[in-house]
Amino acid sequence: MKARLSELEARRAAFCQKMDVAHPNWESALILSKVNQYYFTGTIQNALLLIKKGGGYSYNVRQSIQRAEAESPLDNLFAMKSYGDVAGREGADLGHAYLELDYLPYSTVMRLQKNFQMKSINSLDTTLRNLRAVKSAYELSVLERCGKMHERLFSEFIPDVLQEGLSEAHFYGQVQERMMLAGHQGITRFYDYQTEFHIGQVGFGENMLYPNNFSGGSGGLGTGPAAPLAGNPSRHLKKGDLVLADIGFGLDGYHTDKTQVFCFGAAPSPLAVRFHQECLDIAARAVEALRPGAIPSKIYADAINSLSPEGAKIFMSYADSRASFIGHGVGLNLDELPAIAKGVDEPLRENMTIAIEPKMGVPGLGVVGTEDTYVVTPNGGRCLTGGAKEIIVVEA
């Protein structure tokens, strides 16, 4: 589903307004990253989007101008061989320039400096991420469709594919195949530097407690040192195993996030049930608090203060790692603003989309907990992905 011209124009106008407030001295903004290009133009190319104070813009495409013209409803599209082409047409003096400094390699900044004069180089990242955190009616319609596909994946497919002897790697591959057949866009995008996922984290039992470099509530052995976040080919499913599926689903650029815990071939242990229920209770309170004006750090503190002494030791924790949040924004990236975390004091706004994910790493058993994606509304979080559930027992 393509974004309409009116949608893209509204985004650019809102960006300029936010820049006027946050950075009154700004004169130009240079957008090169894929996700932000898509947000403003409806296409992803090897290109430079130049936005000037007042709302003027040009989308300068190295490759492919033909595809850009087919996919984007914008008018000011130009073929570009080099940044010098843009400087010659738009003028080389960009004044106080704002760039995506969280994304851009220093070598790219140096190439821009060779072609443009910039009084100063500044970051636009936080301003743009805050803009993207609140979703339009169009964006919510995409996320709602995405969430329905996501729920079906968990309720109809995953329980059917689990069978004794199945390897984590095979499970990972089958889930990915089913996602593609269901309409998944084929890629999961993260804002966090060098985070690499295809679909998410899946794993059996104690493997989900294995340390890795991902900042979340679960770990994983993966295929080895080169790919620590994929399924492990040597770990096979056996009766009594907890199965964790923490998966992001993508549609038309947008993501929802969902986690469900299953138990294969037997009822889960009382200890797993106890800690899973504690996570469900935390999630329910956090979801109720997802209202405009709510303070994320307070929602986080309420969750921490409600933990049992035993739960506090393993909350959002596995091996030597502990995540310091219980939720995060979702959208064009799977890790958008805002975080539901300590120190995040900016009030929530209506139509933010947030994944709430309390989890616990239970020694010797694996990871329990839940995750679903919600829209911030005056009545609390409205779920897009089906809602939190108890551990689902799958017959062998």
Side-chain angles (χ1 to χ4, degrees):
M1 186 167 69
K2 294 182 180 180
R4 295 178 179 177
L5 178 60
S6 58
E7 174 81 12
L8 301 181
E9 289 180 335
R11 293 177 186 179
R12 191 172 65 253
F15 171 70
C16 290
Q17 290 171 1
K18 280 194 170 292
M19 290 292 288
D20 287 343
V21 172
H23 311 289
N25 71 331
W26 84 285
E27 295 175 75
S28 58
L30 288 76
I31 307 292
L32 289 97
S33 70
K34 291 181 173 66
V35 167
N36 286 333
Q37 280 190 52
Y38 186 73
Y39 182 74
F40 283 118
T41 72
T43 188
I44 294 174
Q45 305 304 325
N46 181 352
L48 165 64
L49 172 64
L50 175 62
I51 301 175
K52 294 187 176 180
K53 192 179 184 72
Y57 76 96
S58 65
Y59 190 44
N60 307 277
V61 182
R62 182 176 283 114
Q63 188 177 357
S64 157
I65 185 64
Q66 181 179 355
R67 182 159 182 164
E69 290 172 341
E71 294 179 345
S72 175
L74 296 179
D75 294 325
N76 295 350
L77 276 62
F78 302 94
M80 170 185 75
K81 292 184 178 179
S82 70
Y83 296 142
D85 295 341
V86 185
R89 186 179 61 255
E90 302 289 335
D93 186 0
L94 298 182
H96 294 290
Y98 282 73
L99 283 65
E100 303 157 296
L101 296 185
D102 283 355
Y103 277 110
L104 294 184
Y106 185 59
S107 59
T108 300
V109 176
M110 291 176 67
R111 285 196 294 273
L112 290 168
Q113 287 180 300
K114 287 181 180 179
N115 289 277
F116 299 101
Q117 288 83 55
M118 294 178 272
K119 293 177 185 176
S120 63
I121 295 176
N122 312 275
S123 172
L124 57 77
D125 299 280
T126 300
T127 302
L128 181 47
R129 292 189 79 198
N130 281 324
L131 172 65
R132 281 176 30 194
V134 177
K135 306 304 188 291
S136 68
Y138 162 80
E139 291 177 298
L140 288 176
S141 71
V142 177
L143 285 160
E144 285 167 357
R145 290 189 296 119
C146 186
K148 289 177 181 177
M149 293 178 180
H150 209 163
E151 181 183 6
R152 287 190 62 191
L153 175 78
F154 276 70
S155 63
E156 297 179 14
F157 175 73
I158 290 180
D160 289 341
V161 76
L162 293 173
Q163 57 183 314
E164 194 165 2
L166 179 75
S167 73
E168 277 188 3
H170 191 189
F171 179 48
Y172 190 97
Q174 289 205 30
V175 172
Q176 186 172 18
E177 178 185 26
R178 182 66 180 203
M179 289 172 66
M180 295 299 295
L181 291 173
H184 174 58
Q185 65 188 14
I187 189 169
T188 302
R189 292 192 171 99
F190 276 78
Y191 189 86
D192 190 45
Y193 180 64
Q194 289 194 351
T195 297
E196 299 173 316
F197 268 7
H198 280 199
I199 60 170
Q201 288 182 287
V202 300
F204 306 151
E206 73 288 345
N207 260 17
M208 301 311 291
L209 301 172
Y210 196 84
N212 65 34
N213 61 17
F214 178 63
S215 178
S218 59
L221 186 59
T223 59
L229 293 175
N232 183 259
S234 300
R235 177 60 162 88
H236 297 270
L237 185 63
K238 59 184 185 292
K239 289 182 181 179
D241 274 341
L242 292 177
V243 177
L244 182 80
D246 182 351
I247 293 170
F249 199 99
L251 178 70
D252 290 339
Y254 290 84
H255 304 80
T256 51
D257 206 359
K258 183 174 177 64
T259 297
Q260 178 62 51
V261 178
F262 303 85
C263 193
F264 179 72
S269 73
L271 194 62
V273 171
R274 172 191 167 190
F275 287 128
H276 188 80
Q277 184 60 52
E278 191 167 353
C279 290
L280 292 178
D281 293 342
I282 289 170
R285 289 190 294 271
V287 170
E288 175 65 20
L290 293 181
R291 301 167 185 260
I295 305 301
S297 60
K298 185 180 185 304
I299 298 174
Y300 177 76
D302 288 347
I304 296 299
N305 293 335
S306 72
L307 287 166
S308 66
E310 298 83 3
K313 295 176 183 178
I314 59 173
F315 186 62
M316 297 301 287
S317 177
Y318 63 93
D320 58 353
S321 300
R322 183 183 295 273
S324 56
F325 63 90
I326 63 163
H328 57 88
V330 292
L332 290 173
N333 291 120
L334 201 62
D335 55 341
E336 297 274 14
L337 296 180
I340 307 299
K342 182 179 180 179
V344 181
D345 298 325
E346 187 74 21
L348 297 182
R349 290 172 283 167
E350 189 169 3
N351 293 336
M352 285 179 163
T353 46
I354 297 173
I356 297 295
E357 58 164 325
K359 298 186 177 103
M360 293 184 181
V362 186
L365 293 178
V367 173
V368 297
T370 185
E371 181 178 22
D372 277 280
T373 299
Y374 300 87
V375 183
V376 175
T377 81
N379 299 316
R382 176 169 66 86
C383 190
L384 299 177
T385 50
K389 295 179 176 65
E390 298 176 351
I391 296 172
I392 296 174
V393 177
V394 179
E395 294 183 5

